[in-house]
């Protein structure tokens, strides 16, 4: 018996599951000129909507809007929420004030990083945890014995990142009175369509910027409010390519790009402790026990840390994305995880994962091997690499109080 196409599709639905559309997809699709979409956490998201160069310069010159709705979001509430999150994450949650945000990470029992993300304290016992991967089974297992309720709210909450020098001016023009009082990593609630939009002074660009969260039903009205206010202030919707350039300049890392998360890695030598990806500064060893604490302390005491994540400046102007790193042009010692020619810094910059002691005690004699495609032929380039501090770009407006109108 021969099955028609519709019957075959119905019999194999997992092959034909469509990507979800974000609450802002209608507005994004109307602006799209490239049809350059990718899958982000099961959602359809744009690499670029128009010219990716103009989208990058919107971040640095005016204001850029990036849809962060696909970002995984968990609501964690209950009298045991602080104790649970202190047990789960490496930072001291008790020190996080109400209406504040901090960047954090969490590990498995071996000290390997499961993910990094932002933790929003919305009330005494109410939190929102935002991250790259989905972790509900892990969170629920870790909550055993704690008086806490955990649920995923990714699909219920729409989110926008508004980033760039005119971002505050747009919020002011949009009528969000009092938003100028928000300091970096502070949260406020503002009226919108008879409901509340949560605005935090946070972002992933290293620039002046904010993140806005509303119930899904109010997504399009929030978008329209911002774009009406920003029509003379250079507002532009952007895709991930432009955002990625800005985050590299800011020295920020991305899960499963600059490091493999513990649940995603297939090979044991791909796992990383916080100290091996530059997150050692956030670990609070004075607070009660947390997942991975013993393993992290043992690695530090025994000096068994194997890797280090570093910033690099590379000779020339060809970005060495995913290039191998060598010592004295002979010994392979690591790989570049992210790289761009920085329009703002006017430097060829990169983030690289190296095998210790390279990048730690041994910092000289590093080279990257680049294969540049030129007129249908690859040309091998060996370029000198120097270890430099991150961030590669520091902008005073990011932390200015009050923010400027620019």
């Amino acid at each position: 018996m021969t099955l028609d196409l519709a019957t075959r599709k119905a019999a194999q639905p997992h092959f034909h599951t469509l990507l979800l559309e974000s609450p802002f997809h209608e507005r994004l699709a109307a602006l799209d000129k490239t049809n350059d979409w990718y899958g982000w956490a099961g959602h359809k998201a744009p690499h670029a909507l128009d010219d990716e160069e103009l989208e990058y310069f919107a971040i640095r010159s005016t204001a850029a809007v990036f849809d962060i709705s696909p970002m995984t979001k968990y609501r964690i509430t209950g009298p045991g929420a602080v104790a649970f999150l202190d047990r789960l994450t490496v930072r001291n949650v008790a020190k996080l004030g109400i209406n504040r945000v901090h960047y954090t990470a969490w590990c498995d029992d071996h000290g390997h990083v499961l993910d990094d993300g932002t933790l929003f304290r919305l009330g005494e016992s109410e939190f929102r945890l935002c991250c790259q991967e989905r972790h509900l089974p892990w969170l629920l297992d870790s909550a055993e014995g704690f008086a806490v309720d955990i649920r995923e709210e990714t699909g219920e909450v729409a989110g926008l990142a508004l980033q760039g020098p005119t971002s505050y001016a747009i919020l002011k023009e949009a009528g969000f009175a009092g938003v100028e009082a928000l300091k970096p990593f502070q949260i406020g609630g503002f009226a919108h369509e008879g409901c509340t939009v949560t605005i935090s002074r946070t972002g992933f660009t290293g620039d002046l910027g904010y993140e806005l969260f509303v119930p899904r039903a109010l997504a399009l009205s929030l978008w329209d409010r911002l774009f009406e206010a920003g029509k003379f202030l250079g507002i532009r919707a952007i895709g991930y390519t432009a955002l990625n350039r800005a985050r590299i300049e800011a020295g920020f890392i991305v899960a499963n790009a600059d490091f493999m998360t513990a649940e995603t890695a297939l090979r044991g030598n791909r796992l990383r402790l916080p100290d091996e990806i530059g997150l050692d500064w956030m670990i609070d060893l004075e607070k009660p026990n947390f997942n991975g604490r013993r393993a992290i302390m043992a690695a530090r005491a025994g000096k068994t840390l194997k890797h280090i994540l570093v910033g690099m400046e590379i000779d020339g102007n060809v970005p060495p994305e995913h290039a191998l790193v060598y010592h004295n042009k002979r010994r392979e010692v690591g790989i570049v995880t992210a790289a761009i020619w920085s329009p703002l810094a006017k430097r060829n910059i990169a983030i690289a994962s190296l095998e210790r002691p390279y990048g730690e005690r041994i910092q000289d004699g590093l080279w990257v091997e680049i294969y540049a495609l030129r007129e249908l032929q690859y040309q091998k380039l060996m370029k000198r690499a120097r270890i430099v501090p991150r961030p590669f770009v520091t902008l005073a407006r990011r932390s200015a109080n009050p923010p400027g109108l620019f």
Side-chain angles (χ1 to χ4, degrees):
M1 180 177 65
T2 303
L3 299 178
D4 60 27
L5 179 61
T7 304
R8 293 202 306 272
K9 283 186 175 182
Q12 299 176 328
H14 59 292
F15 292 149
H16 303 281
T17 301
L18 298 176
L19 290 172
L20 299 172
E21 293 180 350
S22 98
F24 300 104
H25 181 76
E26 182 179 333
R27 296 293 185 268
L28 293 169
L31 296 171
D32 176 43
K33 296 181 180 178
T34 65
N35 197 30
D36 187 9
W37 303 86
Y38 70 102
W40 174 16
H43 291 74
K44 190 175 181 180
H47 276 122
L49 293 163
D50 194 350
D51 186 293
E52 62 186 46
E53 297 288 337
L54 294 178
E55 291 181 15
Y56 162 81
F57 281 107
I59 301 173
R60 297 301 187 217
S61 303
T62 54
V65 172
F66 180 74
D67 180 9
I68 56 174
S69 302
M71 179 172 58
T72 305
K73 299 177 281 290
Y74 296 103
R75 181 62 64 99
I76 301 169
T77 58
V82 172
F84 163 68
L85 288 165
D86 247 348
R87 177 69 170 79
L88 178 78
T89 65
V90 300
R91 295 191 74 172
N92 193 326
V93 178
K95 295 180 180 179
L96 179 62
I98 296 174
N99 290 327
R100 296 287 298 174
V101 188
H102 71 200
Y103 173 47
T104 190
W106 50 103
C107 306
D108 62 18
D109 291 338
H110 303 289
H112 299 132
V113 177
L114 283 161
D115 211 342
D116 64 342
T118 47
L119 182 64
F120 294 70
R121 189 167 191 175
L122 306 175
E124 183 65 34
S125 302
E126 184 177 4
F127 296 83
R128 173 180 290 146
L129 181 64
C130 299
C131 54
Q132 178 78 2
E133 303 294 319
R134 282 187 159 81
H135 299 283
L136 189 57
W138 178 269
L139 296 178
L140 293 175
D141 287 347
S142 300
E144 184 71 27
F146 292 94
V148 65
D149 178 71
I150 304 168
R151 65 180 181 87
E152 183 172 349
E153 60 177 11
T154 304
E156 304 168 19
V157 178
L160 287 176
L162 175 64
Q163 304 284 300
T166 65
S167 56
Y168 162 62
I170 290 172
L171 292 178
K172 181 180 179 182
E173 180 67 22
F176 292 110
V179 74
E180 69 278 359
L182 291 182
K183 298 177 180 179
F185 298 98
Q186 190 171 4
I187 308 168
F190 300 85
H192 177 69
E193 297 288 319
C195 195
T196 299
V197 53
T198 301
I199 302 179
S200 60
R201 191 167 165 186
T202 51
F204 202 54
T205 63
D207 216 309
L208 174 62
Y210 302 82
E211 292 176 326
L212 298 84
F213 299 92
V214 291
R216 185 184 184 96
L218 299 178
L220 297 184
S221 63
L222 175 64
W223 178 285
D224 294 342
R225 182 175 176 178
L226 292 177
F227 274 76
E228 176 62 25
K231 61 185 178 182
F232 299 123
L233 292 166
I235 193 169
R236 176 186 285 269
I238 67 167
Y240 181 72
T241 301
L243 181 77
N244 190 52
R245 290 188 183 186
R247 75 90 182 172
I248 294 172
E249 289 180 329
F252 296 147
I253 61 175
V254 173
N256 295 323
D258 299 297
F259 71 97
M260 297 301 298
T261 60
E263 287 187 326
T264 303
L266 300 178
R267 299 167 178 83
N269 64 349
R270 305 298 198 268
L271 301 169
R272 296 290 186 268
L273 278 76
D275 297 48
E276 295 177 315
I277 56 174
L279 301 184
D280 49 302
W281 60 270
M282 66 170 58
I283 298 172
D284 191 335
L285 295 177
E286 296 183 359
K287 73 170 188 171
N289 188 40
F290 58 89
N291 292 356
R293 184 181 192 274
R294 185 176 301 174
I296 292 169
M297 291 183 67
R300 289 180 175 183
K303 300 187 185 303
T304 57
L305 295 165
K306 298 178 181 179
H307 303 90
I308 187 170
L309 203 68
V310 299
M312 283 184 165
E313 182 176 347
I314 316 297
D315 283 354
N317 60 2
V318 180
E321 190 169 9
H322 299 143
L324 294 175
V325 182
Y326 290 88
H327 183 247
N328 291 335
K329 298 185 179 181
R330 293 191 301 272
R331 179 184 176 89
E332 182 183 327
V333 298
I335 187 171
V336 172
T337 61
I340 60 163
W341 168 261
S342 167
L344 196 61
K346 301 295 188 291
R347 293 188 293 163
N348 201 12
I349 59 175
I351 299 172
S353 178
L354 305 182
E355 300 172 5
R356 299 185 191 225
Y358 301 98
E360 184 186 33
R361 289 189 292 103
I362 302 175
Q363 297 193 359
D364 295 328
L366 298 177
W367 297 76
V368 294
E369 181 183 59
I370 306 171
Y371 287 86
L373 182 61
R374 293 174 174 171
E375 297 181 353
L376 302 182
Q377 183 173 338
Y378 278 103
Q379 180 179 351
K380 179 181 175 180
L381 307 173
M382 291 296 289
K383 295 292 184 179
R384 188 179 296 277
R386 293 170 296 282
I387 292 178
V388 296
R390 290 182 292 150
F392 302 101
V393 170
T394 302
L395 298 170
R397 63 179 177 249
R398 181 192 181 200
S399 55
N401 279 313
L405 289 171
F406 297 99

